[in-house]
Amino acid sequence: MEIRQIATIAGKEFWDRLRNRWVLAVALVFTAFALVIAYFGAAQQGAVGFRSIEVTIASLVSLVIYLIPLIALMLGFDAIVGERERGSLDLLLALPITRFELLLGKYLGLAAALTFSTVVGFGLVALVLARQLDLGALFHYFGFMGSSVLLGMAFLSLAVMLSVFAADRTRASGLAIALWFFFVLVFDLLLLGALVLGGDGHGSEFYPYLLLANPADVFRILNIFSLDDVRTLYGLATVFPPALARPWLLGGVMLGWIALPLGVAAWRFRK
Amino acid sequence: MPNASSGAGAAGAEPLATAAEHPAAEAVVSVRGVRKHYGAVHAVDGVDLDIRRGELFGLIGHNGAGKSTLFKMMLGLVPATAGEIRIGGVAVGGRDFRAARRAVGYLPENVVLYDNLTGLETLHFFARLKGAAVADCVPVLERVGLAHAARRRVREYSKGMRQRLGFAQALLGKPRLLFLDEPTTGLDPEAIRDFYATLRELRAEGVTMVLTSHILAEIQERVDRLAIMAAGKVQALGTVQALRERMDLPLNIDLRVAEVDIAAVRAALASLPLLAVADCEGGLALQCRRELKMAVLEALTMLAGRVSDLRVREPSLEDVFFGFAD
């Protein structure tokens, strides 16, 4: 494996997103949403202005869990199938580069663009709020930013896997939307349905572990369990075993969600 | 290295251009018993082929004849079901593939590059991937006539400019072997002339080139040798002239004859062993066997008073192609 080849592909992908203002647009969206949530999140209760980092993060988690998976899937769904459909894949593969280097370079370049947008977008808000946050609050906020980056990379990995399997861009985009619906909307409903139907019967103790099968839920748990006030706001916290809610463990699960789809994509792309 | 004079493996395809014609020739691309099967479909069905150092080699065939698949297998883009392809002695897809590919340039049909990059950035990108000197990008752009547009984004390029930029990326790293797939698509006549002039320069530098094209008239006087593919096999291999002779296609002779003299000329030609005599605009069109060319021309000189001009036409590559491919 030649790192230089991976870096060249990744650099081009990142530069492409920077130049077409994708990075800027996404960073602005994150900044705008985060600021609105931080200052107007409690407007329904008749209060305006920054209240607490816990409430802000809780609101941001609810937003990010929808937004980042969607953005990541849209960013990566045509990474490979797009090149194939346009006819540029053959040209790239005729160069002294392996398929794995190409795939990894593409992923890393797109991940860098998404990470840059996330860090800049939410980082600007941290700068704005810096005066009102103590060190502990800043630590939690940066933890939220880090987990958001991991969430984006996990869904980007799924998107790149789709882009390897899909026959054309249209199918890839349809699959990306379907994947978003499944992980962000349907998965928890299915789990809740199973929990209600199964009651306290045999096997119900495994349901919390099933939450690890969804990177969006792992992200939610990562953030919920880091903040005491927020934990009580979420019903899921009552069913999730605290022993599993260790940041390093959940972080490891998230890394698994990044590596596994990428590994499957690499295996499929070799053929 | 296998003998360069080895010919096509297909039945009836003999090596018409022998190694004796190219005593110093050496096979840069060596294809041995290559097959590619997609289930019951035999896209390439047992091809043996050698492409010699410094030659401009044409690969032609109908759509679906297997030439694109063979082309992609030579580039290592499609693995062979059976057989072996070597480039410069290195197995395509083998461990040393990077070194082999660094010596190869590829211009795909309908080249698609990156709209957000400028022409120069595009070449920088490909130069880095090829391990070529980034400093060579500007001279390469000059060579293909795109120096003036180096800092313009590719999205502003015309189809012909994109094709030339694609050619430029193929030239990066001073490749010893070029694969050119329908390279003149989208080029205007002047650009086509310039393109083939560049190919002549490259050939003089010892670069080997493999070219596919559907425009047979364009390549018939330009390729050193060609292979005609049909049904996944090489049906014929050799120089255009050798294939003409092997096909034994008749020569065409066009006579300019005044309308009042046509009957007399026809009568005079009746004694000659011609294959066909037909009226055409401005005179008569004859067909005769190649070996009778001199005898027919000698007889025609006797009609100099009635025939004001004549033109001998060799069978075109198109005639040869249809003879072998069908």
Side-chain angles (χ1 to χ4, degrees):
Chain A
M1 189 163 71
E2 284 192 6
I3 302 297
R4 195 185 59 180
Q5 301 295 69
I6 297 168
T8 302
I9 297 286
K12 185 250 161 202
E13 290 297 323
F14 180 74
W15 180 242
D16 246 5
R17 268 63 191 186
L18 206 62
R19 182 171 275 185
N20 68 14
R21 297 190 175 86
W22 185 95
V23 168
L24 179 69
V26 172
L28 284 176
V29 165
F30 287 154
T31 305
F33 272 115
L35 278 175
V36 167
I37 282 171
Y39 282 96
F40 301 104
Q44 282 180 322
Q45 286 83 45
V48 172
F50 178 72
R51 288 171 66 199
S52 73
I53 195 67
E54 284 86 356
V55 175
T56 301
I57 288 180
S59 303
L60 282 174
V61 165
S62 300
L63 168 79
V64 160
I65 216 160
Y66 289 99
L67 205 56
I68 285 191
L70 188 65
I71 289 171
L73 287 165
M74 290 300 101
L75 177 64
F77 82 92
D78 75 337
I80 297 297
V81 75
E83 296 274 6
R84 189 184 293 139
E85 206 167 288
R86 284 190 294 271
S88 48
L89 188 61
D90 278 354
L91 180 55
L92 289 172
L93 292 176
L95 297 167
I97 182 170
T98 64
R99 285 172 175 254
F100 180 68
E101 288 164 357
L102 175 63
L103 185 79
L104 192 59
K106 284 233 158 221
Y107 175 78
L108 291 177
L110 296 175
L114 186 55
T115 300
F116 190 73
S117 298
T118 308
V119 170
V120 169
F122 290 127
L124 282 175
V125 178
L127 283 178
V128 172
L129 297 177
R131 282 188 179 177
Q132 298 167 68
L133 298 177
D134 59 23
L135 209 59
L138 269 177
F139 176 76
H140 286 307
Y141 189 78
F142 285 130
F144 157 75
M145 279 171 59
S147 61
S148 299
V149 167
L150 287 177
L151 178 69
M153 289 177 73
F155 273 91
L156 185 64
S157 181
L158 286 164
V160 170
M161 184 182 76
L162 279 185
S163 80
V164 170
F165 278 90
D168 54 59
R169 289 182 77 237
T170 311
R171 286 196 184 110
S173 63
L175 283 169
I177 299 290
L179 215 60
W180 183 80
F181 264 102
F182 177 74
F183 280 121
V184 173
L185 300 174
V186 178
F187 186 89
D188 286 357
L189 290 177
L190 285 176
L191 217 57
L192 276 171
L195 198 62
V196 170
L197 285 174
D200 290 334
H202 186 66
S204 62
E205 66 271 23
F206 293 111
Y207 285 130
Y209 292 91
L210 289 177
L211 288 173
L212 301 180
N214 182 351
D217 280 330
V218 177
F219 167 77
R220 200 194 319 258
I221 295 162
L222 250 172
N223 284 284
I224 288 168
F225 274 85
S226 66
L227 298 163
D228 291 336
D229 290 353
V230 179
R231 197 182 310 167
T232 56
L233 295 173
Y234 282 85
L236 280 172
T238 59
V239 297
F240 198 77
L244 273 182
R246 298 191 181 104
W248 62 267
L249 180 69
L250 294 171
V253 171
M254 210 61 139
L255 290 177
W257 268 107
I258 295 169
L260 187 69
L262 209 54
V264 173
W267 166 77
R268 183 69 179 83
F269 193 45
R270 275 179 64 187
K271 292 187 170 182
Chain B
M1 183 67 68
N3 191 308
S5 66
S6 300
E14 294 167 18
L16 291 163
T18 64
E21 294 172 42
H22 302 267
E26 175 194 346
V28 173
V29 181
S30 168
V31 180
R32 288 285 167 274
V34 164
R35 296 174 194 278
K36 182 65 190 178
H37 297 173
Y38 296 100
V41 178
H42 295 188
V44 174
D45 200 15
V47 169
D48 290 278
L49 190 67
D50 281 322
I51 298 169
R52 302 174 185 129
R53 185 173 302 284
E55 78 175 338
L56 177 49
F57 188 88
L59 191 59
I60 60 174
H62 291 299
N63 290 335
K67 64 178 191 309
S68 292
T69 306
L70 179 61
F71 209 74
K72 287 186 174 184
M73 283 197 289
M74 288 194 279
L75 282 161
L77 299 174
V78 174
T81 306
E84 186 184 53
I85 300 175
R86 286 182 172 271
I87 289 181
V90 176
V92 169
R95 280 188 179 179
D96 296 327
F97 84 100
R98 280 188 211 271
R101 285 187 181 175
R102 284 201 170 98
V104 170
Y106 171 44
L107 173 61
E109 185 183 3
N110 300 321
V111 63
V112 178
L113 299 164
Y114 302 103
D115 283 355
N116 280 329
L117 302 184
T118 66
L120 191 57
E121 286 167 349
T122 301
L123 290 199
H124 284 170
F125 171 65
F126 283 103
R128 287 190 194 102
L129 287 175
K130 278 182 114 174
V134 170
D136 287 347
C137 293
V138 171
V140 168
L141 274 176
E142 283 167 1
R143 186 166 202 175
V144 300
L146 276 181
H148 67 284
R151 298 196 186 277
R152 275 165 60 188
R153 289 204 196 181
V154 172
R155 75 156 64 98
E156 297 166 19
Y157 279 28
S158 68
K159 172 109 176 75
M161 289 168 81
R162 284 166 191 253
Q163 195 71 9
R164 280 190 276 166
L165 186 60
F167 186 41
Q169 70 74 28
L171 295 177
L172 287 169
K174 298 183 174 64
R176 306 312 299 156
L177 173 62
L178 275 174
F179 287 96
L180 308 165
D181 196 0
E182 303 282 348
T184 56
T185 306
L187 296 184
D188 59 36
E190 189 184 355
I192 291 173
R193 186 195 62 193
D194 293 345
F195 170 77
Y196 280 108
T198 307
L199 292 199
R200 278 196 298 277
E201 290 168 16
L202 290 167
R203 185 166 49 180
E205 294 165 16
V207 177
T208 308
M209 287 162 280
V210 186
L211 169 80
T212 71
S213 180
H214 282 115
I215 310 169
L216 303 183
E218 187 182 297
I219 65 168
Q220 69 176 359
E221 301 304 330
R222 288 166 165 141
V223 294
D224 296 312
R225 290 192 308 149
L226 58 88
I228 298 174
M229 286 195 74
K233 297 175 190 291
V234 174
Q235 304 292 347
L237 173 70
T239 62
V240 174
Q241 186 59 26
L243 293 182
R244 278 184 189 130
E245 289 167 11
R246 187 167 150 224
M247 274 299 287
D248 200 20
L249 290 170
L251 287 174
N252 300 292
I253 303 172
D254 299 331
L255 305 182
R256 183 180 293 274
V257 182
E259 200 161 341
V260 292
D261 294 326
I262 282 183
V265 172
R266 268 185 173 275
L269 293 173
S271 59
L272 293 173
L274 298 172
L275 296 173
V277 179
D279 290 333
C280 66
E281 195 178 332
L284 292 167
L286 321 179
Q287 282 194 333
C288 74
R289 294 178 63 81
R290 178 176 296 277
E291 61 269 26
L292 296 176
K293 179 167 82 173
M294 295 313 294
V296 170
L297 289 177
E298 193 178 347
L300 287 172
T301 57
M302 309 297 283
L303 298 169
R306 297 181 191 277
V307 177
S308 58
D309 194 9
L310 68 82
R311 185 165 67 114
V312 179
R313 283 187 295 119
E314 286 281 356
S316 67
L317 179 56
E318 194 173 284
D319 300 326
V320 174
F321 172 72
F322 284 116
F324 281 107
D326 294 338

